[in-house]
Amino acid sequence: MIRELIEKNRTYRRFYQDAEVTRETLKDLVDLARLSSTGGNLQALKYIISQTSEINNRIFKTLKWAGYFKDWDGPQEGEQPSAYVVVLHDQRISKGFFWDHGIAVQSILLGAVEKGLGGCQFNSIDRVALAQELDLPNHFAILTVIALGKPKEVVVIDKLGESGDIKYWRDQQGIHHVPKRALEDIIINL
């Protein structure tokens, strides 16, 4: 079961924008993050959830999509995410956030896949603009943003070719290909 969820947990960048993701669903996904392990059990992560067009549009314009696709600025209207989770570090609780956001994001994304959704995690964010758009107090640092929705694209895992090129790509049918190294290539003491 976990392997199937992980295999389905691809980075989706195009969605059925009109497929609603409810606030209750977002709360359920953040609850999975809340229950996940945190460094020193400090629980310094906080979240902003959005499923409204107004806030979604504010978040969307601060994100940079698919760095390997130089001629693509992100999904067009109708293919944009239906929802977002903005992951924050509450600096009043701790100075560092350890590995917490990685675990939290994985928990949210696996929960999303289980619900028939997909997502995309962002590090390429105009954090200053997003903080202004969301009117965030200074003690919150934006760690990452997760876009969520019903995927409108097929993403497949490919064996890494002989060239060693790890860049994802789309074929003529719009199928998104993600090359992965073989297990034998990443375990060094086989």
Side-chain angles (χ1 to χ4, degrees):
M1 186 71 158
I2 189 70
R3 183 179 185 92
E4 183 180 331
L5 287 174
I6 290 171
E7 287 176 353
K8 287 181 181 178
N9 182 27
R10 308 305 345 132
T11 298
Y12 296 100
R13 294 178 177 86
R14 293 179 293 180
F15 303 89
Y16 291 98
Q17 190 170 342
D18 59 351
E20 180 185 25
V21 177
T22 67
R23 189 161 186 82
E24 201 57 41
T25 295
L26 292 174
K27 288 169 64 176
D28 288 346
L29 294 174
V30 169
D31 199 35
L32 295 174
R34 178 186 70 84
L35 295 170
S36 298
S37 174
T38 67
N41 199 34
L42 294 174
Q43 304 169 57
L45 299 183
K46 301 290 171 79
Y47 305 87
I48 293 175
I49 57 176
S50 172
Q51 81 292 349
T52 67
S53 295
E54 179 197 347
I55 298 173
N56 285 357
N57 290 335
R58 290 178 180 177
I59 295 169
F60 178 83
K61 68 183 184 181
T62 67
L63 304 175
K64 294 169 185 64
W65 292 78
Y68 290 150
F69 297 154
K70 302 300 182 200
D71 59 344
W72 191 68
D73 292 328
Q76 298 177 356
E77 185 66 34
E79 294 186 336
Q80 295 176 8
S82 304
Y84 290 94
V85 176
V86 180
V87 183
L88 308 169
H89 171 227
D90 188 338
Q91 298 174 95
R92 297 171 303 180
I93 295 175
S94 72
K95 298 298 177 207
F97 47 85
F98 306 100
W99 54 84
D100 296 4
H101 64 302
I103 295 170
V105 168
Q106 183 77 326
S107 296
I108 289 169
L109 289 172
L110 290 174
V113 168
E114 186 179 52
K115 293 177 180 291
L117 302 172
C120 180
Q121 178 188 1
F122 289 87
N123 190 43
S124 293
I125 307 161
D126 184 339
R127 286 174 171 78
V128 172
L130 183 54
Q132 291 171 347
E133 289 290 339
L134 299 176
D135 196 26
L136 283 179
N138 289 336
H139 59 271
F140 289 121
I142 298 168
L143 299 180
T144 191
V145 173
I146 307 166
L148 293 164
K150 181 179 175 188
K152 191 176 183 176
E153 63 184 340
V154 174
V155 180
V156 297
I157 297 172
D158 293 334
K159 181 180 174 185
L160 188 68
E162 289 184 27
S163 71
D165 189 356
I166 48 84
K167 292 180 182 171
Y168 48 80
W169 55 282
R170 287 191 185 136
D171 64 24
Q172 291 179 341
Q173 290 76 38
I175 296 175
H176 189 98
H177 294 263
V178 181
K180 291 288 186 182
R181 300 181 199 285
L183 186 60
E184 303 79 44
D185 295 334
I186 64 170
I187 298 176
I188 63 171
N189 66 335
L190 284 181

